[in-house]
Amino acid sequence: MRDLFSEATVIIERDYGDPLEVPTVAAEIATSRRQLQRAFAEAGTSFTSYLTEVRLQKAAELLRESAMSVYGIARTVGYRQHSQFAKMFRRRFGMTPSQFRARL
């Protein structure tokens, strides 16, 4: 199971800006959707939680290191709706993306 988790995390790290779903990643690593979900559960997380964390960490990195707009960053890390990105970012970091950037 650890191999499945590791293979899936490589794909998520590579393609986090694309629409990613369990069936797509499972097919890429030649396993079933259920097996992949079990691998994430064994690692103490879920596919969605892991993907969200990767996206938000990449967004924080871009906020720190680029002049890209918050909207542009949201799109780059895989959020099609800016409001959803802002909500998830605030939940994770305790502030909006703009507040995060302003504190740097």
Side-chain angles (χ1 to χ4, degrees), residues 17-46:
D18 298 334
L20 287 175
E21 296 178 346
V22 173
T24 307
V25 175
E28 188 167 335
I29 59 176
T31 192
S32 71
R33 188 185 106 217
R34 185 68 193 122
Q35 283 294 98
L36 185 56
Q37 289 170 325
R38 280 190 195 119
F40 275 90
E42 278 186 16
T45 189
S46 69

Side-chain angles (χ1 to χ4, degrees), residues 59-80:
E61 183 179 312
L62 288 170
L63 285 165
R64 280 191 298 271
E65 299 173 2
S66 79
M68 187 183 298
S69 71
V70 172
Y71 178 80
I73 290 171
R75 301 283 295 180
T76 298
V77 299
Y79 286 91
R80 300 300 166 237

Side-chain angles (χ1 to χ4, degrees), residues 1-17:
M1 287 291 188
R2 284 190 181 172
D3 289 341
L4 291 178
F5 178 76
S6 295
E7 290 177 47
T9 60
V10 167
I11 293 167
I12 290 170
E13 294 279 341
R14 181 190 72 204
D15 298 337
Y16 65 87

Side-chain angles (χ1 to χ4, degrees), residues 60-102:
E61 183 179 312
L62 288 170
L63 285 165
R64 280 191 298 271
E65 299 173 2
S66 79
M68 187 183 298
S69 71
V70 172
Y71 178 80
I73 290 171
R75 301 283 295 180
T76 298
V77 299
Y79 286 91
R80 300 300 166 237
Q81 295 180 347
H82 176 267
S83 59
Q84 182 66 17
F85 168 68
K87 177 181 172 183
M88 297 303 289
F89 194 92
R90 183 182 6 240
R91 187 177 292 161
R92 171 64 177 84
F93 293 102
M95 63 188 84
T96 66
S98 298
Q99 291 169 332
F100 182 88
R101 179 175 268 164

